């Protein structure tokens, strides 16, 4: 029961992440939604699936995938944000992000 609730909570967070990507026009706001909510959502889904699995080989693989998600997502977000900043992409008019000067 707890595994299913964790998976449901993770799926809701992934849905919010997708809605944030569609809703916001600014690349930095989109990146914030993508990295924060989807990372936690994927980890919750994998953790919930690991609780439901019976064999140790199954849950160790799922926990390894969750660990790798936590390890690589912040690095990817940092590199995307840095490359966006260095290419001097201008925020969209009306965005709350300060312009690059």
């Amino acid at each position: 029961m707890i595994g299913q609730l964790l998976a449901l909570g993770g799926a809701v967070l992934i849905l919010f992440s997708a809605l944030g990507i569609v809703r916001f026009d600014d690349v930095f706001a989109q990146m914030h939604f993508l990295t924060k909510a989807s990372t936690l959502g994927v980890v919750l889904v994998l953790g919930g699936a690991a609780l439901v699995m019976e064999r140790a080989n199954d849950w160790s693989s799922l926990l390894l995938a969750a660990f790798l998600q936590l390890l690589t997502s912040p690095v990817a977000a940092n590199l995307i944000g840095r490359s966006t900043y260095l290419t001097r992409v201008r925020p969209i008019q009306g965005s709350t992000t300060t312009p690059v000067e």
Side-chain angles (χ1 to χ4, degrees):
M1 180 70 177
I2 293 176
Q4 288 90 353
L5 289 176
L6 281 176
L8 179 65
V12 169
L13 284 174
I14 293 170
L15 175 68
F16 286 157
S17 175
L19 292 175
I21 293 293
V22 173
R23 166 77 171 85
F24 290 102
D25 295 329
D26 186 40
V27 68
F28 295 111
Q30 288 177 343
M31 189 175 56
H32 176 75
F33 271 93
L34 182 64
T35 57
K36 302 296 186 244
S38 67
T39 300
L40 183 58
V42 167
V43 168
L44 284 176
V45 167
L46 291 173
L51 289 176
V52 174
M53 297 295 173
E54 295 176 0
R55 293 183 299 193
N57 188 27
D58 294 337
W59 61 261
S60 64
S61 299
L62 291 172
L63 292 179
L64 177 64
F67 174 72
L68 290 174
Q69 176 73 21
L70 284 173
L71 189 68
T72 58
S73 184
V75 174
N78 186 18
L79 291 175
I80 291 170
R82 188 168 191 268
S83 66
T84 303
Y85 178 77
L86 291 176
T87 57
R88 299 189 181 273
V89 172
R90 299 287 179 191
I92 294 175
Q93 293 294 336
S95 174
T96 57
T97 306
T98 56
V100 179
E101 307 225 0

